[in-house]
Amino acid sequence: MLSKGLKRKREDELEKETLAVDAWWLGPRPPAVAQAPPAVASSSLFDLSVLKLHHSLRQSEPDLRHLVLVVNTLRRIQASMAPEAPLSPVPSPPPAPGAAADSLLASSDAALSASMASLLEDLSHIEGLSQAPQPLVDEGPPGRPTSGAPPSLGALDLLGPATGCLLDDELEGLFEDIDTSMYDSELWAPASEGVKPGPEAGPGKEETLELDEAELDYLLDVLVGTQALERPPGPGR
Amino acid sequence: MMVKEEKGAGGGNDIQWCFSQVKGAIDDDVAEADIISTVEFNHSGELLATGDKGGRVVIFQQEQENKIQSHSRGEYNVYSTFQSHEPEFDYLKSLEIEEKINKIRWLPQKNAAQFLLSTNDKTIKLWKISERDKRPEGYNLKEEDGRYRDPTTVTTLRVPVFRPMDLMVEASPRRIFANAHTYHINSISINSDYETYLSADDLRINLWHLEITDRSFNIVDIKPANMEELTEVITAAEFHPNSCNTFVYSSSKGTIRLCDMRASALCDRHSKLFEEPEDPSNRSFFSEIISSISDVKFSHSGRYMMTRDYLSVKIWDLNMENRPVETYQVHEYLRSKLCSLYENDCIFDKFECCWNGSDSVVMTGSYNNFFRMFDRNTKRDITLEASRENNKPRTVLKPRKVCASGKRKKDEISVDSLDFNKKILHTAWHPKENIIAVATTNNLYIFQDKVN
């Protein structure tokens, strides 16, 4: 947060946000490349999309629209590169062992899906935690039924004072099962994948050992960085 | 749809657009806080509000027309400046909540004061802007500087009177609507009943009463029970200008849903779904991204709505769901550059669009500080540039042309020379007259049609 007196130059800001993806866009103008969209995506487009997804997920508060569009585009690219690889979040076993590239894509797709799934699931899980049980309002529209899915932000008092305490307790529980020794491992490198993910794409704690290091990395980022999507009750007027 | 571009043709009965004013810093070093994030005329057009990334709102007022000098309509001068939103720190998430003003919407004027709604990512505020041009003088118990007099020294009584003073414009927050949005607010829209309004974030739309801040009603919720299944977000929402029960919201997949609040309390089931089938010849990996709708605006009549996606502007008849009635290409020459624009994230830019007062012309922005107007009647379009090079008052703007391929003619600019950092995302059209406000990164340009 800058003090009010400082004018932060926009160029500095853009530089700060540049990652290793530097090579893609340098200077004020994009590379003047006229490309006809290929029928099958090049691996560079795939890599670019993965980098964008990675970058987006690493934001403390991801731009949901950007994230969703990148993920959907990535799925399209994956589908064109490996038609037999599944599109759904549930990964299927990779095809014939001889097709190394296919299995790589299948496992990276599965790993990607599992990462995305685990991230979004955790965001959802944490949001659900931060909503204390809400009383139904008598007057006005009934809003959403409260059975099953976590209560939505309906015609209700949105954050009661009890929420903070509830959240703290639950956060402790989330951290309990994490084996922190895994976090010393390298960032996700698709080429080094050899581990097949478990049968489900969920973030179940009992599957931790079967998830690869990259997914745990994502999980940790979510848990440490995100923590809650609901703000504590502010001093609103 | 064939669109014929003619040199020198303006939008709408050959309007000639002239530079009028430019507001903002001249230097090329753009301060982050000065980046304009929203522009909006009020209902009479007398006031023009801008919001910026620093959380400030600046309101300009049109001066009364000078009857003697009728060269141009009144100029817009600063009327009020105030800090609408401050950066907030969410201690639980260790996150800063940006103070950037995402949208401003004016309420219709009911008394001497003006009211507007301004919103950042999380909180909406109702501001009252009022004028004070008189002050009371002649108190019995107070001196003129405010100090209290010793009551024993009061020997006579007098009645305080109002005396004129220099005009003071005060902005005060009257309501704060907070804690209702988990995701980032992208739209606010005031209902035609002038009592309620909606606010939309990526996944939900809430209905508020302007008097009530401690609760809101959730009317749309597209959050999947299982977040793994999330594939679509809400990008914009607006109430119908006449029907207080009707609103629309657009999505990142290029669909628009029209909802009727009379049908049920929760409007997850749309009354109408507007979607144009994908053109198979234009299919690419980026099809979904470029179909994502960045803005939706009803016509003043309420019969049509306009949507803006990355490459085009579409006009929809509310009675026809399966395709738009008109499509205008904003910068078709970018279609072959989508890969590069994906690389540098420009493909995710969110352009807005607007109608003129009579719904005959629509306007939207582009890159290189270009903006485009499409005349729905004559089918002519024009490209103009917001630049300090043309800043002599009453200078008629020269139409610009982009050369997509082949030999570049004189005065044309080639696609590869376009500056993609100079984008016009926000434009506004005076509700009654041919006066437009166009925001570049940190400057606000005002153009008027030539008055003879």
Side-chain angles (χ1 to χ4, degrees), chain A residues 177-201:
Chain A
D177 297 333
I178 301 300
D179 177 7
T180 57
S181 66
M182 298 297 256
Y183 297 116
D184 298 328
S185 56
E186 288 173 354
L187 289 177
W188 174 30
S192 66
E193 287 309 304
V195 178
K196 294 189 183 54
E200 287 169 16

Side-chain angles (χ1 to χ4, degrees), chain A residues 1 4 7-11 13 24-25 28-35 37-41 45 48-49 52 60-61 64-66 68-70 72-73 76-77 80 89 117 120-121 124 127 137 139-142 144 152-158 167 225-232 234 237, chain B residues 29-32 34-35 86-88 90 92-93 95-97 122 173 176 179-180 182-184 202-204 206 213-218 221 223 226-228 230-233 235 252-253 265-266 268 284-289 292 336-337 339-340 342-345 348 350 416 419-421 441:
Chain A
M1 214 153 74
K4 286 286 177 218
K7 270 192 176 194
R8 180 174 61 206
K9 293 200 184 136
R10 195 150 165 261
E11 283 73 41
E13 190 62 20
W24 302 109
W25 46 290
R29 293 179 190 160
V33 178
Q35 290 178 2
V40 175
L45 192 60
L48 170 62
S49 300
K52 280 190 183 299
S60 45
E61 215 176 355
L64 216 56
R65 171 183 168 259
H66 187 272
V68 160
L69 289 174
V70 168
N72 292 349
T73 304
R76 266 195 207 214
I77 295 168
S80 77
L120 292 172
E121 186 64 32
S124 165
E127 187 195 349
V137 172
E139 72 271 25
R144 179 174 285 282
S152 76
L153 298 165
L156 312 165
D157 291 345
L158 289 158
L167 185 58
T226 309
Q227 292 187 15
L229 288 176
E230 296 288 357
R231 290 206 308 129
R237 277 187 250 188
Chain B
D29 282 343
V30 179
E32 191 85 6
D34 293 339
I35 295 172
E86 296 275 2
E88 288 173 57
D90 182 338
L92 209 56
K93 286 160 77 182
L95 278 183
E96 213 179 88
I97 297 171
K122 300 284 186 181
I176 296 183
N179 297 330
T182 305
Y183 305 101
H184 292 176
D202 293 315
L203 298 180
R204 298 190 177 106
N206 294 330
T213 59
D214 64 352
R215 64 188 63 214
S216 70
F217 296 104
N218 177 242
D221 189 334
K223 180 170 182 272
N226 196 350
M227 279 291 266
E228 291 174 26
L230 179 67
T231 56
E232 193 174 12
V233 297
T235 53
S252 55
K253 285 195 169 173
L266 195 59
D268 279 0
S284 77
F285 294 110
F286 311 109
S287 290
E288 182 177 321
I289 299 179
S292 173
S336 56
K337 312 283 184 194
C339 202
S340 310
Y342 180 64
E343 285 178 35
N344 63 17
D345 272 348
F348 298 101
K350 291 184 287 188
D416 299 328
D419 188 340
F420 288 87
N421 286 324
T441 305

